[in-house]
Amino acid sequence: MNTPRDDVWFNSGSDRISAWLYRPEGNDHAPLLVMAHGLGAVRTMRLDAYAERFRAAGYACLVFDYRNFGDSEGAPRQLLDIRMQLQDWTAAVAYARTLPGIDPDRIGLWGTSFSGGHVIATAARLPGIAAVVSQCPFTDSIASLGAMNPLVSARITALATRDLVGARFGASPVMVPTAGNPGEIALMTAPDAYPGFLKLVPDGTELRNEVAARIGVKILPYRPGRLAAKVPCPILFCVCENDSVAPSGPTRRYAATAPRGEVKLYPEGHFEIYVGDAFERVIADQLEFLARVLPTG
């Protein structure tokens, strides 16, 4: 009898990536969804809720933490590097294709927030991806930075510059909070950001609410939504209409360029989609989409 979840490891670069592997019962040639979280977040922040529902519907899931985060190896800790995270996605897909009982030709990607952009970029450049779900995705750095308080943005830029200079001389990273209240210095400071971020943290769990500040500068060229036009497989964009972190307008425009793109809209903010009634609606839409484009049979 299959266990609901196993702890597994795979290599990315010189580090080991920690992951959960969910296997559905009664399916020895199952499609698999590779899954990871958003900006500074780890898999324990509600990704198990999604994976359990996908598993119940017949999908295997590989849910991983990026290098430098969570239970994965890598140093310095809390260093968010876009290039490395995209490499982690490539390594995860390669590992998934070697797993016994998994159909290597039916590998899908599921990403949310910052990883919602990563799955667009990964599907655009990695051959053979069967389907993509991109939830409340970060698609455009300019749009997201434009939604920030200019004074906060300026302070983050200063911290990022200090971090980059220090890194050249081997200094420890300068940290900046991932989420904070309005007016505080943090990467996400919309009114719903800090309480929404905390809602994702399991009771009794301590979470490092910080990342190396250099991402505040290095994020500028990253506009993964522009790659939607190059995603050949079916891709579902689950867009929050009142998204204060990843504005919906640019995402909807990018989604319209995807050859096999579909869009579902939700009248919620960025963090509401993970819990409660909004979660139930989004997971139902994702399962309906997957049943059509990546059937389990």
Side-chain angles (χ1 to χ4, degrees):
M1 179 177 178
N2 290 333
T3 57
R5 184 173 87 190
D6 293 315
D7 292 320
V8 297
W9 296 83
F10 59 90
N11 290 329
S12 183
S14 59
D15 297 308
R16 291 206 308 170
I17 296 287
S18 179
W20 293 324
L21 176 61
Y22 291 78
R23 288 185 179 275
E25 293 184 17
N27 191 345
D28 60 359
H29 201 56
L32 180 143
L33 301 175
V34 180
M35 305 173 61
H37 221 312
L39 187 77
V42 293
R43 57 191 166 147
T44 55
M45 298 170 67
R46 290 281 296 169
L47 291 198
D48 51 344
Y50 290 87
E52 287 164 4
R53 297 291 281 273
F54 294 140
R55 175 186 175 275
Y59 297 92
C61 297
L62 182 70
V63 189
F64 71 93
D65 282 334
Y66 297 109
R67 280 178 284 180
N68 310 327
F69 288 89
D71 294 324
S72 292
E73 294 179 347
R77 303 305 292 173
Q78 305 301 111
L79 172 62
L80 197 168
D81 184 286
I82 293 170
R83 179 183 60 83
M84 288 175 61
Q85 290 196 344
L86 291 174
Q87 289 174 348
D88 293 347
W89 276 97
T90 299
V93 171
Y95 173 70
R97 287 176 170 153
T98 70
L99 290 168
I102 300 301
D103 186 343
D105 296 321
R106 292 194 294 160
I107 303 295
L109 309 179
W110 183 99
T112 186
S113 192
F114 204 55
S115 70
H118 287 345
V119 295
I120 299 170
T122 300
R125 63 182 173 78
L126 205 61
I129 299 300
V132 177
V133 174
S134 180
Q135 174 179 284
C136 56
F138 170 94
T139 55
D140 192 293
S141 62
I142 305 304
S144 289
L145 291 171
M148 291 181 65
N149 180 312
L151 294 177
V152 172
S153 181
R155 289 287 301 278
I156 289 174
T157 299
L159 290 172
T161 303
R162 272 183 52 203
D163 189 29
L164 286 168
V165 171
R168 295 186 63 183
F169 296 96
S172 298
V174 176
M175 295 293 177
V176 62
T178 307
N181 292 307
E184 295 179 346
I185 307 304
L187 296 178
M188 297 182 289
T189 58
D192 62 334
Y194 188 63
F197 195 74
L198 290 183
K199 278 184 183 178
L200 307 184
V201 181
D203 291 339
T205 300
E206 288 191 17
L207 174 73
R208 291 187 65 178
N209 178 27
E210 61 181 6
V211 296
R214 67 196 73 173
I215 190 61
V217 168
K218 291 201 165 188
I219 202 173
L220 290 173
Y222 194 44
R223 304 175 75 183
R226 294 184 297 179
L227 296 173
K230 297 183 179 180
V231 175
C233 66
I235 176 169
L236 174 65
F237 297 86
C238 297
V239 181
C240 296
E241 293 179 285
N242 296 311
D243 200 316
S244 60
V245 174
S248 65
T251 296
R252 293 170 71 173
R253 289 192 290 273
Y254 288 132
T257 70
R260 302 176 68 184
E262 300 180 27
V263 176
K264 290 287 186 180
L265 301 176
Y266 306 90
E268 276 90 19
H270 188 81
F271 293 94
E272 293 173 281
I273 204 167
Y274 296 94
V275 294
D277 179 63
F279 167 77
E280 293 297 335
R281 283 183 276 118
V282 74
I283 199 73
D285 288 339
Q286 292 172 7
L287 286 169
E288 187 276 332
F289 167 78
L290 291 169
R292 286 189 286 109
V293 305
L294 191 61
T296 59

